[in-house]
Amino acid sequence: MHIGGQSIFDEMSSDDLILAFFPCTRFECQCQMLFAGTAYQFTNASDETKLKYDIKLHGELHDLYCLLCKMCLVVIDKGLKMVIENPVNQPHYLTMYWSIKPRIVDKDRTQNGDYMKKPTQFFFINCEPKNNLVFEAIQHVDMRNVERLTNQEKDRKTLRSEIHPQYANRFIRKYLIDYEQDFSKLYEEGSEEDERAIHEKDIESLKHRLAAIQEMGGDSD
Amino acid sequence: MKAHCLFEQSGTFKNEFKKLGIEAFDYDILNDYGQTDFQIDLFAEIENAYRGAKHIR
């Protein structure tokens, strides 16, 4: 651990990009039930228990919120570039009580190859999102049902948090780096081999149709 | 350009940056899968940087 004002941020340059998956548990809508004392674990809890928990919980929210703001201030002060990721749900503490607004809101991550929809927002500090074209088929990914997540090696929290590499790759290319898709390769791959394959397929199809007509005793013209 | 991925689940993005030819590192307090480049208390690092920053207090 660094001391005396030194930190990992000293090793980063203004050409670099920081991508922060800032802890979100105290900003999400589920926290509202904890504050209100209506979560399942408070079913038989006394007012005293709930109030003490409220103090603890609000302290955690305060600490995380201040850390988030400080992280942004450090990045701004040092001229660094940063993208912060956080879920988006209603209500979300940052949506309601933060001065920084998201530049990208992805309402359905499965559309870009992730495991779950998990609406997500991205905040850009000292930089702007690119808007590159990523034109390619998305490989099928089995959607994860939150209620049925079970795995011998990973707990449910981890399974819920995991991001599919396909989603990460597409996001980086589309929004974070200078990227230009090479469309010439797509055209070349379709010129010789694919045309031959299409031609052979057409011939096979024609043969089948001819055989069917002849079986029926019809005119093959 | 280098990519610095902070907190949980940053490993996935780190690996994809690398596949795209960009040098990348991840930082987290945990190292459950043995792949975290810098196992470090990020909260302490942020506090430290904030205290040491010249223009902000």
Side-chain angles (χ1 to χ4, degrees):
Chain A
M1 191 182 80
H2 294 91
I3 56 172
Q6 295 174 335
S7 72
I8 54 168
F9 297 97
D10 299 332
E11 310 299 322
M12 301 173 188
S13 85
S14 56
D15 294 327
D16 296 347
L17 179 68
I18 303 167
L19 187 52
F21 298 85
F22 197 85
C24 58
T25 50
R26 295 294 173 247
F27 299 143
E28 291 189 285
C29 60
Q30 293 92 319
C31 220
Q32 189 182 35
M33 290 177 66
L34 294 173
F35 276 112
T38 54
Y40 178 77
Q41 56 263 47
F42 292 112
T43 305
N44 298 312
S46 64
D47 285 345
E48 183 183 352
T49 302
K50 291 178 190 174
L51 285 166
K52 285 180 178 176
Y53 189 78
D54 279 340
I55 292 173
K56 175 179 176 293
L57 194 62
H58 205 274
E60 291 172 8
L61 171 63
H62 170 83
D63 290 343
L64 278 174
Y65 183 83
C66 289
L67 270 169
L68 177 63
C69 292
K70 286 176 182 176
M71 185 174 70
C72 292
L73 285 166
V74 166
V75 162
I76 290 169
D77 181 68
K78 290 181 178 293
L80 304 174
K81 300 189 193 82
M82 180 168 67
V83 178
I84 302 165
E85 178 267 7
N86 229 247
V88 59
N89 37 48
Q90 295 297 337
H92 193 279
Y93 196 82
L94 297 183
T95 305
M96 293 195 297
Y97 299 115
W98 206 32
S99 53
I100 307 294
K101 304 304 170 193
R103 294 303 304 277
I104 296 170
V105 177
D106 188 348
K107 294 183 181 175
D108 184 356
R109 282 160 47 163
T110 61
Q111 297 292 319
N112 280 287
D114 204 359
Y115 299 109
M116 296 188 288
K117 282 189 175 180
K118 277 193 82 173
T120 306
Q121 53 188 338
F122 297 88
F123 304 88
F124 283 69
I125 310 293
N126 267 353
C127 58
E128 298 290 325
K130 315 276 183 191
N131 193 20
N132 303 318
L133 177 62
V134 177
F135 185 73
E136 61 191 34
I138 296 175
Q139 293 181 8
H140 173 75
V141 174
D142 288 331
M143 272 189 70
R144 285 182 179 175
N145 187 321
V146 173
E147 302 301 322
R148 296 178 191 168
L149 285 177
T150 54
N151 188 297
Q152 298 290 335
E153 297 172 0
K154 299 176 186 173
D155 60 28
R156 198 162 152 179
K157 178 178 172 295
T158 302
L159 289 171
R160 283 198 67 207
S161 304
E162 277 186 342
I163 301 170
H164 197 284
Q166 176 178 222
Y167 180 84
N169 193 289
R170 289 176 64 90
F171 187 88
I172 292 169
R173 283 185 287 151
K174 187 168 183 185
Y175 295 114
L176 302 185
I177 62 174
D178 292 327
Y179 173 77
E180 199 169 321
Q181 189 151 355
D182 186 358
F183 290 99
S184 62
K185 276 190 179 178
L186 290 174
Y187 178 75
E188 281 171 9
E189 285 170 0
S191 60
E192 288 185 18
E193 291 181 10
D194 283 0
E195 278 202 19
R196 193 182 309 125
I198 292 168
H199 181 64
E200 286 171 356
K201 194 176 168 187
D202 282 345
I203 292 174
E204 274 305 306
S205 173
L206 195 57
K207 283 181 183 174
H208 283 299
R209 285 169 56 194
L210 202 58
I213 291 169
Q214 285 173 343
E215 267 183 33
M216 289 166 58
D219 191 346
S220 59
D221 288 338
Chain B
M1 170 190 153
K2 295 177 192 170
H4 305 274
C5 304
L6 277 49
F7 300 105
E8 194 183 3
Q9 293 306 316
S10 55
T12 302
F13 268 82
K14 175 192 78 172
N15 292 336
E16 294 310 308
F17 271 115
K18 286 183 166 180
K19 284 181 190 172
L20 292 166
I22 295 167
E23 195 177 0
F25 309 94
D26 62 338
Y27 308 71
D28 195 8
I29 196 166
L30 299 173
N31 188 14
D32 292 339
Y33 303 105
Q35 295 179 11
T36 304
D37 294 314
F38 297 96
Q39 188 175 358
I40 197 164
D41 185 345
L42 285 165
F43 290 169
E45 292 296 303
I46 292 168
E47 288 284 5
N48 229 12
Y50 182 75
R51 277 195 298 271
K54 295 186 180 66
H55 305 294
I56 50 173
R57 283 290 183 268

